[in-house]
DNA sequence: GGCGACCAATTTTTT
DNA sequence: ATTGGTCGCC
């Protein structure tokens, strides 16, 4: 008889089976690229459920929304029940925080809002403006400092002690002001989501106990990419009585050390969780032999690594060598890829079997053009994030203000959107609000605002009246709330001047309303703040529509965890891969090599690497050098060709010597 | 004090 | 190409 458990355990290797059926105690699965890691994680969750563990007792954390979604789908297919707590570190923490934030006693309430990178910078700019003599300090540099500090469980002070900064005193004051204002606005930044949960678990034993009793099994994906904060958080989350933590990862795929990922976490797992069972998955079920040879040789050039092999487990009839294509220019690069895609498609391969990877988002433009010209359908994953678009951020600002009147960043945005009230007037209103111990927006919404506002200029009274109407719009159901705000602010007729396509903006706004309606259908009781939380944490809403047959384009970082029969990696050149900003530091070059390794190991049947001899810079063409990594590859597994159609543009000399 | 016009700088990777 | 900042006008 075919019980669900048979399905869950079928087609697994012995090592995979060990990993799937492990029950209690810590386990680390060191899973090489293509060794069936996702399969192991999803099957194990299904297995736990089949062993009568309640789905709600399982907490599984990933790094990306896509990984979380995929995991949920695959579990759903194996067992009917999907654990509720499958999500990114950030979304899981947001959920805990929503529930327990008030125990922190720092003034934040469960209606807190999440500030994204843009909001963070806007807030820092305010802090900088309030400080005299902040000459030359950039919000970006400070937000970077704050984030680095938080993700390393340090203070900005600790970091400044080790680095030479100009006017360190001022920087620290700005950091302090930033934290104060976040708290005053009932807001948290991305790192706070994890940091505050860690603090709760550390400082509130009662909550720690609730969590420990609730979650019996903890799973972590991509353990090599955990930063120190995530590591601390995990140690606090796991119940010391059983140490049921199940981590999977591959040190060779650590590509996020720039944001604090520390693969010594995975190296130290045995030490941190004594008696851990370690399983190594080294058989590769994904790529052809040539691809694996190329990838293995490449990664063996990293000095800082434990030697590890990828054993090919599939034998293709006619394995394709890895193609190395040297093209004359970026236009040829796009053209070659487009032609190859066409050929593959004519041979019966759907577009969705092909993916184009690149190092930086800006490279996508030229490639996109080539695909458009060749009438090849494509989707770009990542890149300009939907919720970071101007019109979307505007609409969100209205919604956020309704949920949280203390959100001053949003109030500013809303005022700027409407016009008539600028920064100076707003500051005056804020001053007045402070005297009356109200938030500025709350003051504006008071029915007796006219009494409370001494200088009765008509513009401000108008604005207050308008704010009150905004405030009175319904917050539920979510779909209607979003639509109501959209109509109230008259987005349809808003003049977004001198910018490309007004139609695109209207479409985006419509999509936002549609998303809200969908969200409302799927989450019965959800309020506006839950919707806003979801929105803040979903990076790519123009997500990968699997139903559409298109070529997929994305950065190498985005590609981790995916696989495609046909893979193209563009711009395998010095300054892109390794990126120019990394070449001074050998450790960073090793990370670039891992990134390249991740890209190559995504391919099942054929991988093509392209390098252009010239590529336009902002002014004229610049010659380009092939990546140093290309010299490290085994030529027996590679076919090198050149391709020159568009006139190779000769690099202009930077100056003329006569 | 607000707003539009013009000019500069900008991009490594993401939750 | 897009955004952010500064200048001068209303």
């Amino acid at each position: 008889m075919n019980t669900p458990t048979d399905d869950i355990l079928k087609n697994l290797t012995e090592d995979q089976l060990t990993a799937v059926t492990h029950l209690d105690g810590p386990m680390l699965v060191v899973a090489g690229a293509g060794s069936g890691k996702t399969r192991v994680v999803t099957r194990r969750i299904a297995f736990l459920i089949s062993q009568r563990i309640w789905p709600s007792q399982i907490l599984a954390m990933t790094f990306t929304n896509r990984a979380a979604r995929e995991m949920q789908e695959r579990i759903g297919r194996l067992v009917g029940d999907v654990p509720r707590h499958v999500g990114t570190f950030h979304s899981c923490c947001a959920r805990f925080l929503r529930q327990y934030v008030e125990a922190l006693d720092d003034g934040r309430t469960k209606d807190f809002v999440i500030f994204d990178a843009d909001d963070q910078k806007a807030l820092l700019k305010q802090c900088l403006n309030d400080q005299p003599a902040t000459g030359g300090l950039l919000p970006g540099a400070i937000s970077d400092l704050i984030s680095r500090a938080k993700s390393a469980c340090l203070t900005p002070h600790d970091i400044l002690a080790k680095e030479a900064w100009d006017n360190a005193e001022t920087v620290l004051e700005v950091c302090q002001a930033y934290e104060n204002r976040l708290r005053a606005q009932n807001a948290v930044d991305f790192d706070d989501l994890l940091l505050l949960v860690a603090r709760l678990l550390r400082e509130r034993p009662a909550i720690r106990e609730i969590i420990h009793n609730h979650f019996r099994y903890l799973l972590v994906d991509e353990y090599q990419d955990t930063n120190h904060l995530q590591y601390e958080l995990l140690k606090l989350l796991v119940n010391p009585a059983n140490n049921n933590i199940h981590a999977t990862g591959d040190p060779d795929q650590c590509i996020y050390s720039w944001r604090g990922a520390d693969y010594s976490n995975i190296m130290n797992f045995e030490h941190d969780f004594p008696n851990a069972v370690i399983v190594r998955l080294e058989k590769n079920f994904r790529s052809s032999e040539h691809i694996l040879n190329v990838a293995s040789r490449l990664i063996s050039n990293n000095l800082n690594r434990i030697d590890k092999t990828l054993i090919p487990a599939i034998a293709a009839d006619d394995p394709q060598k890895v193609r190395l294509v040297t093209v004359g220019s970026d236009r040829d690069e796009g053209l070659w890829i487009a032609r190859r895609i066409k050929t593959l498609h004519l041979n019966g391969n759907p577009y969705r079997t092909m993916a184009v990877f690149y190092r930086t988002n800006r490279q996508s433009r030229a490639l996109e053009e080539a695909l458009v010209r060749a009438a090849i359908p494509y989707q770009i994953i990542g890149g300009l994030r939907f919720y970071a678009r101007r019109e979307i951020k505007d609409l969100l600002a209205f919604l956020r203000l309704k949920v949280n009147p203390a959100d001053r960043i949003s109030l500013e945005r809303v005022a700027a959107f409407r016009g008539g009230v600028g920064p100076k007037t707003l500051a005056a209103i804020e001053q007045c609000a402070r005297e009356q111990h109200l938030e500025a927006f709350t003051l504006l919404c008071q029915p007796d605002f006219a009494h409370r506002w001494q200088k009765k200029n008509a513009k401000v009274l108008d604005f207050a009246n308008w704010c009150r109407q905004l405030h009175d719009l319904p917050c539920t159901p979510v779909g209607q709330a979003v639509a109501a705000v959209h109509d109230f602010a008259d987005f349809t007729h808003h003049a977004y001047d001198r910018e490309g396509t007004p139609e695109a903006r209207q479409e985006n706004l419509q999509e936002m309303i549609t998303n809200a309606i969908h969200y409302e259908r799927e989450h019965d009781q959800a309020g506006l703040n839950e919707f806003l939380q979801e929105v803040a944490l979903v990076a790519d809403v123009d997500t990968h529509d699997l139903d559409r047959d298109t070529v997929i384009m994305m950065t190498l970082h985005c590609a981790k965890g995916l696989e495609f029969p046909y893979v193209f990696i563009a711009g395998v050149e010095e300054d892109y891969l390794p990126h120019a900003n990394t070449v001074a530091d050998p450790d960073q070059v090793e990370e670039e090599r891992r990134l390249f390794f991740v890209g190559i190991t995504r391919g099942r049947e054929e991988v093509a690497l392209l390098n252009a001899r010239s590529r336009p810079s902002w002014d004229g063409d610049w010659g380009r050098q092939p990546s140093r990594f290309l010299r490290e590859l085994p030529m027996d597994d590679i076919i090198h060709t050149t391709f020159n159609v568009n006139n190779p543009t000769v690099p202009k000399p930077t100056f003329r010597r006569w």
Side-chain angles (χ1 to χ4, degrees), chain A residues 273-337:
Chain A
F273 300 99
N275 303 320
V277 179
I278 313 270
V279 177
R280 290 193 170 71
L281 304 179
E282 298 189 308
K283 273 201 190 131
N284 178 295
F285 297 94
R286 179 185 297 152
S287 310
S288 81
E289 215 170 315
H290 292 303
I291 295 174
L292 284 183
N293 286 345
V294 169
S296 299
R297 183 75 70 83
L298 171 74
I299 202 66
S300 71
N301 282 276
N302 271 3
L303 302 175
N304 225 336
R305 107 178 244 273
I306 294 172
D307 198 36
K308 189 156 64 61
T309 37
L310 287 172
I311 304 161
I314 51 167
D317 315 336
D318 178 25
Q320 296 295 304
K321 288 193 176 183
V322 169
R323 289 165 187 266
L324 171 60
V325 187
T326 299
V327 296
S329 66
D330 62 320
R331 292 197 49 186
D332 284 344
E333 179 179 65
L335 187 63
W336 189 88
I337 292 175

Side-chain angles (χ1 to χ4, degrees), chain A residues 431-566:
Chain A
Q431 182 55 40
C432 176
R434 206 165 313 133
E435 283 159 16
Q436 307 189 27
H437 305 288
L438 290 173
E439 299 298 342
F441 185 67
T442 316
L443 171 69
L444 284 160
C445 292
Q446 297 302 310
D448 59 344
F449 177 80
H451 288 287
R452 295 165 178 263
W453 179 249
Q454 303 304 313
K455 313 166 241 186
K456 301 198 186 307
N457 40 357
K459 275 188 174 175
V460 176
L461 292 181
D462 252 18
F463 181 58
N465 193 25
W466 182 82
C467 283
R468 187 149 31 74
Q469 288 177 45
L470 169 65
H471 176 78
D472 290 342
L473 293 173
C475 280
T476 49
V478 175
Q480 282 174 38
V482 177
V485 167
H486 175 269
D487 293 344
F488 170 73
D490 200 18
F491 274 81
T492 318
H493 299 109
H494 189 75
Y496 279 113
D497 43 15
R498 71 190 157 91
E499 267 154 86
T501 46
E503 296 84 6
R505 290 192 191 278
Q506 296 305 329
E507 275 170 31
N508 290 336
L509 289 164
Q510 284 309 319
E511 191 180 335
M512 166 103 186
I513 295 173
T514 316
N515 287 347
I517 293 170
H518 275 243
Y519 184 83
E520 170 195 318
R521 294 231 178 96
E522 280 162 33
H523 304 79
D524 243 8
Q525 303 296 321
L528 202 46
N529 56 359
E530 277 95 358
F531 174 67
L532 291 175
Q533 170 185 311
E534 171 101 353
V535 153
L537 295 176
V538 172
D540 40 294
V541 155
D542 20 4
T543 43
H544 203 153
D545 185 350
L546 290 164
D547 298 334
R548 285 174 55 209
D549 183 28
T550 70
V551 172
I552 304 294
M553 297 175 61
M554 63 180 100
T555 63
L556 285 162
H557 281 89
C558 271
K560 193 171 66 163
L562 300 177
E563 60 173 42
F564 298 89
Y566 301 97

Side-chain angles (χ1 to χ4, degrees), chain A residues 65 88 90-92 94 114 190 193 532-539:
Chain A
N65 292 297
T88 62
H90 291 83
S91 67
C92 291
I114 301 167
F190 280 138
L193 290 169
L532 291 175
Q533 170 185 311
E534 171 101 353
V535 153
L537 295 176
V538 172

